[in-house]
Amino acid sequence: MTVAVDDELWSAIGDPIRRRLLDLLLAEGVGTPTSLSDRLPISRQAVTKHLGVLDRAGLVHATPMGRERRYEVDEAQLARAVRQLNEVGKTWDARLNRIKRIAEQIQRQKHD
């Protein structure tokens, strides 16, 4: 079984800073580039750039708030990412089990 993987989604999640941003937003509910940059070792501009990637992947949504934007996690899209990861994990487990069986069969044949 082949799992359809959303490359843009996984590319967004693949960056450690973006994962940390998601963690912060999940813990706090909402955040602005300024409030988030206070918690990370990167500038407000870098946070804004990372949030843009997460937004394009559908993982966060922004709401204008004065001169800034408030970001929050799209929990449905995050749940979709978790489901994809679980399916990819199951696929690789099945592949590795097949490899193990083949290796065991070869080992038995060598001893026969």
Side-chain angles (χ1 to χ4, degrees), residues 10-60:
W10 287 104
S11 178
I13 293 173
D15 183 271
I17 292 289
R18 291 193 282 270
R19 286 194 306 273
R20 181 72 180 120
L21 284 168
L22 287 170
D23 288 344
L24 289 170
L25 289 170
L26 285 167
E28 297 172 11
V30 297
T32 64
T34 300
S35 70
L36 293 165
S37 68
D38 290 343
R39 310 271 311 274
L40 295 167
I42 60 174
S43 69
R44 180 189 175 286
Q45 291 79 10
V47 167
T48 300
K49 228 173 137 176
H50 283 291
L51 287 168
V53 172
L54 293 170
D55 193 16
R56 284 189 297 281
L59 289 162
V60 299

Side-chain angles (χ1 to χ4, degrees), residues 2-3 7 11 15 18 21-22 25 28 31-32 34-35 45 52 56 62-63 74 80 87 91-92 100-101 106-107 109:
T2 303
V3 178
D7 289 334
S11 178
D15 183 271
R18 291 193 282 270
L21 284 168
L22 287 170
L25 289 170
E28 297 172 11
T32 64
T34 300
S35 70
Q45 291 79 10
R56 284 189 297 281
T63 306
D74 181 320
R80 180 174 162 251
E87 288 302 316
T91 300
W92 275 101
K100 180 182 176 196
R101 284 193 305 272
I106 291 170
Q107 196 68 4
Q109 288 172 353

Side-chain angles (χ1 to χ4, degrees), residues 80-99:
R80 180 174 162 251
V82 170
R83 283 192 307 275
Q84 279 186 16
L85 183 59
N86 286 334
E87 288 302 316
V88 168
K90 287 177 190 175
T91 300
W92 275 101
D93 284 346
R95 288 175 182 163
L96 292 172
N97 281 330
R98 281 194 302 273
I99 291 169

